[in-house]
Amino acid sequence: MLNLDVSAKYPPFALSPEQQRKRLMTTLARWLFASVQSVVMAVEDLHWFDASTLELMQLLVEQAATDRVMLVCTARLEFRAPWTPRAHHTHFTLNRLTARDVRELVVQVVAANALSGEAIDKVIERTGGVPLFVEELNACRARKRRCQAGPA
């Protein structure tokens, strides 16, 4: 950017772009796990990751086999990880909440602003048992109610 001549101190890489990319990925993986402590890393929504980020995740998964690392990853059911499952991997599926579970969650989340049975039935219907949607729909309903009530 400053048009400085740094070629004497930092000669250009003699690596191909592919080799540079692999070196970058390996360096990132090493850097993430460089701590002498144990590492817990949560990674959400793998189904949205691009190919390069999935490649980095694959390196992290492989490195986790020998390092003190716990990776917790989430993805939609249709997602298939590009890495081979290993003995130290555990995979489990979380099912959607039942109507009873949604009703209980609604009551606990908005206990102070109890909703009518009809409103709870709509929450159950619209959220399809996805806990995040239940929570978000309840938050929207609570905000709407506060807005309609006017300033405190």
Side-chain angles (χ1 to χ4, degrees), residues 71-87:
L71 290 173
V72 178
C73 303
T74 67
R76 292 185 179 164
L77 287 174
E78 63 271 11
F79 175 79
R80 295 293 170 248
W83 49 86
T84 305
R86 302 239 177 116

Side-chain angles (χ1 to χ4, degrees), residues 30-81:
R30 285 186 186 146
W31 175 76
L32 285 168
F33 297 147
S35 169
V36 293
Q37 302 290 323
S38 299
V39 175
V40 177
M41 180 184 285
V43 182
E44 294 187 349
D45 298 331
L46 290 175
H47 53 274
W48 292 113
F49 283 27
D50 62 12
S52 293
T53 310
L54 281 173
E55 184 178 350
L56 175 60
M57 284 303 304
Q58 183 168 357
L59 284 172
L60 297 179
V61 167
E62 289 169 3
Q63 195 164 343
T66 56
D67 288 342
R68 296 173 55 166
V69 174
M70 178 178 181
L71 290 173
V72 178
C73 303
T74 67
R76 292 185 179 164
L77 287 174
E78 63 271 11
F79 175 79
R80 295 293 170 248

Side-chain angles (χ1 to χ4, degrees), residues 93-138:
T93 302
L94 298 178
N95 296 320
R96 294 175 184 262
L97 298 176
T98 64
R100 179 177 174 224
D101 294 333
V102 172
R103 188 175 308 279
E104 187 174 324
L105 181 59
V106 169
V107 169
Q108 289 182 8
V109 170
V110 293
N113 306 320
L115 298 176
S116 68
E118 181 181 329
I120 293 174
D121 289 341
K122 286 189 182 206
V123 169
I124 293 168
E125 176 187 331
R126 291 184 179 178
T127 60
V130 178
L132 177 65
F133 297 162
V134 174
E135 188 176 329
E136 286 299 311
L137 191 55
N138 282 329

